[in-house]
Amino acid sequence: MNQRYERWLAEFGGGGPEDLHDLVVAAIVSGDAIRLCRWLDDRHGPGAFSAMFQAGGYLAPQQTPSSRETRPGSGQPAV
């Protein structure tokens, strides 16, 4: 860990920086940030994860391939 990460853990981890670190590592390894998001929301209010990481669409429902719009004739998702 570097000092910047340790400061972040201390600031947002409150009395449980070790718990926050464990949740961050678990989210990175598993690719599932739900527990981390809930933990942050419980302590810092709804949407804390999105606000901290400027990731508004991170937890948005994923579109299925059939629901995506495609560019005509390309089969590629429309931008």
Side-chain angles (χ1 to χ4, degrees):
M1 279 191 274
N2 62 33
Q3 287 182 329
R4 187 175 181 185
Y5 181 65
E6 287 177 358
R7 280 193 306 270
W8 181 80
L9 288 173
E11 181 178 349
F12 291 100
E18 297 85 11
D19 294 337
L20 178 55
H21 173 69
D22 290 346
L23 288 167
V24 169
V25 171
I28 291 169
V29 170
S30 71
D32 182 358
I34 298 298
R35 287 182 51 216
L36 173 60
C37 291
R38 286 185 186 143
W39 194 94
L40 289 168
D41 285 352
D42 288 348
R43 286 153 185 82
H44 301 285
F49 179 91
S50 295
M52 282 180 209
F53 299 104
Q54 299 178 355
Y58 183 77
L59 297 175
Q62 298 295 313
Q63 291 182 323
T64 61
S66 62
S67 68
R68 290 186 204 153
E69 293 182 32
T70 58
R71 285 185 249 152
S74 72
Q76 298 294 319
V79 179

